[in-house]
Amino acid sequence: MRTYRFQYPLASCAGPAALAGLLAILAGCSSTPKRAEPLPPEYKAKKITDLAAPAGTYQPVERVTADALASALAAPVAPQDVAKKDPDVVIPKGQSRPLNILALSGGGQYGAYAQGILCGWTESGKRPDFDVVTGISSGALIAVFAYLGPKYDPNMQRLATSLKTSDVFTYRPLISILWHNSIATAAPLEKLIAAEVNDETLADIRAAHLAGRKLYVGTMLQRTRRLVVWDLGAIACSGRPDADTLVRKVLLATSSIPGLVPSVDFDVDVNGVRYKEEHADGGAVAQTFIKFGPGTPEPNPATPGVKWLAGSNLYIIAGGKLYVDPIEGRLGFLTRATSTISATLYALYRADLWRLYTLCAVSGMKFHHAFVPEDTPIAPKSTTFDLKTMRLLFTLGHDLAKCGEVWRTTPPGYEVGEEEYPRAGFQFTIP
């Protein structure tokens, strides 16, 4: 499957999600799993054929050779007008222009920044129609709105400026983790998704899918601990009587943080045998990802110099900052434990942005990345939906996008002040 996976910190891990994760680890030694069904051998072999997908869909492709990668990285990223000047521009069959791809990360309440960017981008008159939109965790529902276009900007603005924690989850007694494997219930979020992804929204998803555009969201399959990418448009158009319900369930699953709220069950059939799969927040394995639909140009080993996606654009919007804020106050046990998790996730995200940047350099896509400015004063608790913080982030994203100052085109560590120098002593000065 031609999927590229990249991680981003869903949260700073200093809030309820991190506490829930630690409690889940501790409780795992004594609690009984919700289901103890055997793992299908096909999962271990990682060879699964989706019988609902058309023949030839999402077939493996040749990977870029080391020589092609070195050659691409030796030159700067293609200029912004490459689509007009580059003779190697390749347009997908049936497409009249290069692709515009949007990838949205998780981030809880910080997703308000992404919503502000999309609304401000619309007002600038420069927001494109996206050929592919991907979302994970809290970015999945935003991805639905972004995929369907400016018609749903009012929905994003309303949620970004009015959503409360109680609209997403409510806590249970702490002891309930022993039988629910979670400390909260996602019933409010399930109700919210049902209201937002209503009959009209689903009809619009079907229309966009039939027009050839793709909407993907990711979950984590609990048993394999691997990313599962769902084609929501294909599910909505499947003709199944429960298609609408399944679309909403996938959106619920990708936002279900393990330990905080329960995972979501799906009935699957593997070689004629029925299984129950448990899916949870995809942010545990990939905080942002991109995937190309059928018909997208593929790399050709015979012509390594051809940039098969030249002129296309990759836009990545992060639900948070590029670098985690320094810790203030006392370094207690919980702070030390959660800050280590947080530091790891932020470092992985920066490393994975380099992979995305590399993919752009090799394929010819133009790299655009937006994240919350480092000097923005926000509390490190993405799972607490604070209206003041969300409104600040929405307004900031909106204003930056409207005036065209939101995008960065360089990878992490490239800008002044981001270098990491070795220390040779213990006395320092700060300008």
Side-chain angles (χ1 to χ4, degrees):
M1 182 176 289
R2 190 178 175 193
T3 304
Y4 302 84
R5 308 185 189 101
F6 306 95
Q7 291 194 358
Y8 183 77
L10 169 69
S12 68
C13 294
L19 176 60
L22 290 175
L23 289 173
I25 293 171
L26 295 174
C29 299
S30 58
S31 61
T32 302
K34 184 162 55 175
R35 301 192 187 278
E37 295 163 339
L39 185 69
E42 291 78 6
Y43 286 10
K44 295 180 181 179
K46 303 180 182 66
K47 295 180 180 178
I48 302 175
T49 300
D50 185 348
L51 298 180
T57 301
Y58 308 130
Q59 294 300 306
V61 298
E62 293 290 338
R63 296 306 179 198
V64 180
T65 65
D67 289 343
L69 176 60
S71 174
L73 293 180
V77 174
Q80 297 298 306
D81 60 349
V82 66
K84 298 178 181 178
K85 298 181 179 180
D86 194 329
D88 292 330
V89 170
V90 180
I91 305 299
K93 184 179 180 180
Q95 295 273 354
S96 59
R97 54 180 171 76
L99 299 176
N100 287 304
I101 301 168
L102 174 68
L104 294 157
S105 82
Q109 69 169 343
Y110 305 150
Y113 184 67
Q115 292 166 300
I117 287 176
L118 288 162
C119 292
W121 202 355
T122 298
E123 292 184 27
S124 74
K126 297 180 179 179
R127 175 176 162 184
D129 293 325
F130 300 113
D131 301 284
V132 177
V133 179
T134 73
I136 207 155
S137 191
S138 60
L141 184 56
I142 302 173
V144 173
F145 296 144
Y147 175 69
L148 298 179
K151 172 184 175 180
Y152 285 85
D153 283 5
N155 300 58
M156 289 193 290
Q157 182 170 0
R158 172 170 45 78
L159 290 177
T161 57
S162 65
L163 194 68
K164 304 183 297 295
T165 303
S166 59
D167 296 324
V168 180
F169 63 86
T170 54
Y171 286 105
R172 293 186 173 110
L174 190 57
I175 191 67
S176 68
I177 194 173
L178 297 177
W179 53 87
H180 286 298
N181 290 329
S182 63
I183 61 174
T185 173
L189 178 58
E190 186 174 6
K191 182 179 179 180
L192 174 69
I193 291 173
E196 296 296 332
V197 187
N198 52 36
D199 292 344
E200 181 181 358
T201 306
L202 286 159
D204 289 342
I205 290 175
R206 285 190 282 270
H209 178 78
L210 293 174
R213 297 167 52 232
K214 289 294 183 178
L215 171 62
Y216 300 110
V217 302
T219 64
M220 180 184 72
L221 178 54
Q222 293 271 26
R223 285 197 177 275
T224 62
R225 291 167 290 182
R226 291 175 66 89
L227 178 69
V228 175
V229 177
W230 302 83
D231 185 335
L232 286 193
I235 296 173
C237 293
S238 65
R240 294 175 55 117
D242 59 349
D244 293 358
T245 299
L246 289 174
V247 169
R248 298 184 183 110
K249 283 187 68 176
V250 171
L251 290 171
L252 177 64
T254 191
S255 303
S256 297
I257 303 173
L260 181 64
V261 297
S263 55
V264 177
D265 290 350
F266 291 90
D267 293 319
V268 299
D269 184 300
V270 181
N271 290 354
V273 180
R274 294 179 66 83
Y275 293 93
K276 284 281 188 182
E277 285 188 347
E278 293 180 43
H279 287 257
D281 190 331
V285 288
Q287 273 291 324
T288 189
F289 69 95
I290 63 173
K291 178 168 180 55
F292 303 108
T296 305
E298 299 176 355
N300 186 349
T303 55
V306 174
K307 298 182 183 297
W308 66 96
L309 289 172
S312 295
N313 293 283
L314 172 60
Y315 300 97
I316 311 156
I317 305 180
K321 298 183 178 182
L322 187 58
Y323 295 87
V324 65
D325 289 332
I327 299 172
E328 296 185 4
R330 181 175 175 272
L331 286 172
F333 165 74
L334 186 59
T335 302
R336 292 174 189 273
T338 58
S339 66
T340 299
I341 299 171
S342 176
T344 300
L345 291 175
Y346 273 82
L348 282 173
Y349 177 55
R350 293 192 296 272
D352 289 334
L353 273 182
W354 263 104
R355 294 190 183 97
L356 280 170
Y357 182 84
T358 300
L359 176 63
C360 287
V362 172
S363 67
M365 286 192 296
K366 290 170 283 186
F367 177 89
H368 311 268
H369 178 221
F371 53 90
V372 177
E374 301 302 321
D375 58 355
T376 305
I378 54 177
K381 295 181 179 179
S382 72
T383 52
T384 299
F385 292 79
D386 176 70
L387 288 179
K388 182 179 178 180
T389 298
M390 293 173 66
R391 289 169 180 169
L392 180 152
L393 290 173
F394 178 87
T395 301
L396 179 61
H398 173 277
D399 293 348
L400 289 175
K402 187 175 180 179
C403 65
E405 298 178 358
V406 73
W407 301 110
R408 169 168 164 168
T409 58
T410 57
Y414 186 89
E415 302 296 332
V416 175
E418 294 180 353
E419 307 92 338
E420 297 177 358
Y421 294 112
R423 288 188 173 187
F426 300 90
Q427 292 178 301
F428 314 100
T429 61
I430 300 176

